[in-house]
Amino acid sequence: MNLLADLRNYQYSLSSVEGLRIHMEMGNIFIDVPKCSFSEMLKVVNSSNEHVISIGASFSSEADSHLVCFQNEEGNYQTQASSMPDKTRTVTGASFVVFNGALKASSGFIAKSSIVEDGLMVQIPPETMESLRTALREQTDFHISCGRNDGGELRENVTVRWVDWTSPVNTGKTSGIDGRALDGVHSMRMQQDAEFEVDGRAITCTEVFYQLKDPDCSLASVLPSCSVFQKEIAVAACSALTPHLAVLTSSGINSLSLRVSTQADMVEYQAGSGGRLLPQRYMNELDGALIPVIHGGSASVPQTAMDVEFLFYITHTI
């Protein structure tokens, strides 16, 4: 916690690498990094400080258990492994790894690994840290033997491996409008500048899904042209629904989706929650907010044929 927390600004976060998985087995820990995520790993390494490299990991469906951290009644944090029912625990996943390059020779260890909350801490000497940085920058595998200098303690091996593996995209996710599967549909987190809050409730757009209809069109080529448009749509939708947050939540609606379908000469939209369309009174409110954006907003409507689906959450404010 002390390594990752910014106590001055009350922040606790770490950079993630898409598809990175941590597998802990008896005597071995494997940190698998997809080769396709090399640029993300490079950013993490270059932005880290001299002594610490911290990396967030993805959930691994190949692990039969996963580390979880919870707070007990005394307020202390405890770690335990949550296992799949009726399955022997052989591979345990973790949520992050921290390489701490401040291990001193006087400690009596050549390297040391330990579980911290729901992640892994690997303490290594400064010279090993430099070698690790070089290996990560050169996309080469790296091996760390953990244990005492005298060899009197059973050693554990930590291996960073570059693998030919692509992380599944939005596996198991479905649209709140009609239950359409979103497996394989790329999405991006959304940073919403404005706040929409009333009577202790707030609505926020958290994620945007992009489903392109032209197989020859790439998401990278589309995003620059629709970034302003999607922000205006999200703000307009939040503004329209904010007066109704209390009624929506009392109806059991805590999350909802808005799908905007664009083509060269046509734009249409739908909104729903739990696989059902929103009642017409809410659609009327959305009409009044979205139509001015579509026909007279500061950003032009994307000409690419695609569905852009916005995910909103309604939360209670403290």
Side-chain angles (χ1 to χ4, degrees), residues 23-202:
H23 290 162
M24 298 186 295
E25 304 174 8
M26 184 66 70
N28 288 288
I29 298 172
F30 298 103
I31 301 169
D32 291 342
V33 188
K35 293 179 180 177
C36 60
S37 296
F38 173 64
S39 60
E40 293 181 40
M41 176 60 81
L42 204 57
K43 289 179 182 178
V44 171
V45 174
N46 292 336
S47 62
S48 61
N49 64 42
E50 182 182 357
H51 302 292
V52 177
I53 298 176
S54 55
I55 314 167
S58 300
F59 176 80
S60 175
S61 58
E62 295 181 13
D64 45 51
S65 62
H66 204 281
L67 294 180
V68 293
C69 183
F70 65 96
Q71 192 174 21
N72 59 24
E73 294 180 356
E74 290 76 34
N76 300 317
Y77 289 94
Q78 293 183 343
T79 301
Q80 67 181 32
S82 178
S83 305
M84 297 177 65
D86 304 322
K87 198 164 186 179
T88 303
R89 197 173 81 197
T90 57
V91 180
T92 302
S95 299
F96 65 87
V97 60
V98 176
F99 294 99
N100 182 357
L103 185 67
K104 297 179 180 179
S106 59
S107 67
F109 288 87
I110 54 175
K112 189 176 181 180
S113 64
S114 56
I115 292 173
V116 180
E117 297 180 8
D118 56 346
L120 174 70
M121 168 84 76
V122 183
Q123 300 178 64
I124 53 179
E127 58 271 17
T128 305
M129 175 64 89
E130 284 305 309
S131 299
L132 173 62
R133 287 181 186 278
T134 301
L136 294 176
R137 288 189 175 115
E138 295 179 353
Q139 204 179 67
T140 57
D141 295 352
F142 193 77
H143 180 77
I144 301 171
S145 293
C146 300
R148 299 194 67 88
N149 287 324
D150 56 16
E153 185 179 291
L154 184 64
R155 292 193 173 186
E156 186 172 54
N157 298 309
V158 178
T159 304
V160 179
R161 307 185 297 191
W162 292 91
V163 296
D164 292 309
W165 185 78
T166 302
S167 175
V169 177
N170 291 321
T171 303
K173 288 190 176 183
T174 57
S175 169
I177 299 168
D178 50 16
R180 177 197 291 183
L182 296 174
D183 299 73
V185 178
H186 287 273
S187 64
M188 293 188 67
R189 294 288 180 180
M190 187 162 188
Q191 296 292 330
Q192 188 168 292
D193 299 328
E195 294 183 356
F196 296 90
E197 180 182 337
V198 63
D199 297 332
R201 295 175 178 83

Side-chain angles (χ1 to χ4, degrees), residues 223-246:
L223 286 178
S225 64
C226 64
S227 59
V228 176
F229 174 76
Q230 72 182 28
K231 283 186 177 182
E232 290 190 355
I233 289 289
V235 167
C238 287
S239 178
L241 295 175
T242 295
H244 308 283
L245 296 184

